Amino acid sequence: MKKILFLLLLACTAASASAAFRWGLTAGANFSNYHWRQKLVDTRMQTGFQGGVIGELMIPGIGFGIDLGLNYTMHASKMDLGAHQVWSGMGDVDFKMHNIDLPVHLRFKWTRMNGVENYIAPFAYAGPVFQFHVAQSKCDAIEHPAASVGINFGIGAEIIRRIQISGCYTLGASYAINTVKLDNFSARNSGWSVNVAYLF
């Protein structure tokens, strides 16, 4: 048993030493919405955007690795606050949240396709994204905590070993905003995004 564990440790060390790290630039659009703890505020999805840097560390031969990033993200939605008396007179609010996101994903890429992977290689990934809220549009009824957490699930394809196109669903795992006047009334931010990355 000790010999097997020792051999596994050697294999993992060798794989880590030969792991290939790349980085690049990424940009995309997001289509997200706020899901309230109780349905008191009607919200409608709007398009936001994001951009930043991405790093990818893959272990050759087995297709597994990790990716991480540093992104600026703007999420947008329209909130009908005026429908309730507590926010009387506010009407529809175009709400925008500005975040610095730190995604960390476990990634699998199909790299053994008899040379086809040199032209196109599908991949899938999943993992947490840590969202640090840095600003929001002016809205006296809404405030935000310092940070929140989401879970990303994505698929995509790498083209000619440089360009990566992916789609991702982010599930809000903690609350991203809350109302000022009502206690314990908050919303999670969930939605889809489409990204393009160029790796050097």
Side-chain angles (χ1 to χ4, degrees):
M1 185 66 180
K2 290 182 179 179
K3 290 183 178 180
I4 293 175
L5 290 175
F6 179 71
L7 290 175
L8 286 174
L9 180 62
L10 283 179
C12 291
T13 303
S16 299
S18 62
F21 178 78
R22 298 186 300 164
W23 72 278
L25 302 176
T26 181
N30 60 68
F31 313 91
S32 59
N33 206 347
Y34 290 97
H35 304 278
W36 294 90
R37 186 187 293 267
Q38 301 172 13
K39 191 165 178 59
L40 292 178
V41 178
D42 293 326
T43 61
R44 297 188 294 279
M45 180 185 300
Q46 290 186 325
T47 304
F49 60 89
Q50 54 207 38
V53 295
I54 182 175
E56 180 189 79
L57 183 68
M58 301 297 297
I59 301 174
I62 64 173
F64 280 101
I66 61 171
D67 70 75
L68 60 158
L70 175 64
N71 302 317
Y72 163 76
T73 305
M74 190 277 286
H75 295 283
S77 66
K78 186 179 286 290
M79 300 182 182
D80 185 12
L81 295 174
H84 300 278
Q85 187 174 0
V86 66
W87 301 295
S88 178
M90 297 200 68
D92 282 349
V93 174
D94 289 319
F95 184 78
K96 296 177 175 61
M97 174 70 78
H98 304 270
N99 297 338
I100 299 297
D101 289 354
L102 298 176
V104 181
H105 303 138
L106 178 65
R107 173 175 290 221
F108 178 77
K109 187 188 301 180
W110 282 264
T111 56
R112 292 188 173 185
M113 298 189 295
N114 298 320
V116 176
E117 68 274 10
N118 293 323
Y119 304 97
I120 184 168
F123 59 83
Y125 60 88
V129 54
F130 304 97
Q131 303 167 326
F132 298 93
H133 310 305
V134 295
Q136 70 174 51
S137 55
K138 182 173 175 55
C139 179
D140 295 334
I142 303 296
E143 60 184 5
H144 60 81
S148 61
V149 179
I151 307 295
N152 287 342
F153 305 92
I155 57 172
E158 181 176 283
I159 303 171
I160 58 171
R161 292 188 175 272
R162 293 289 185 185
I163 301 170
Q164 294 186 352
I165 302 173
S166 62
C168 174
Y169 178 75
T170 301
L171 175 66
S174 65
Y175 291 97
I177 60 174
N178 55 275
T179 59
V180 175
K181 291 187 176 181
L182 299 180
D183 293 334
N184 200 29
F185 186 58
S186 50
R188 305 172 190 260
N189 186 12
S190 300
W192 295 91
S193 63
V194 180
N195 297 280
V196 178
Y198 184 86
L199 299 180
F200 300 103

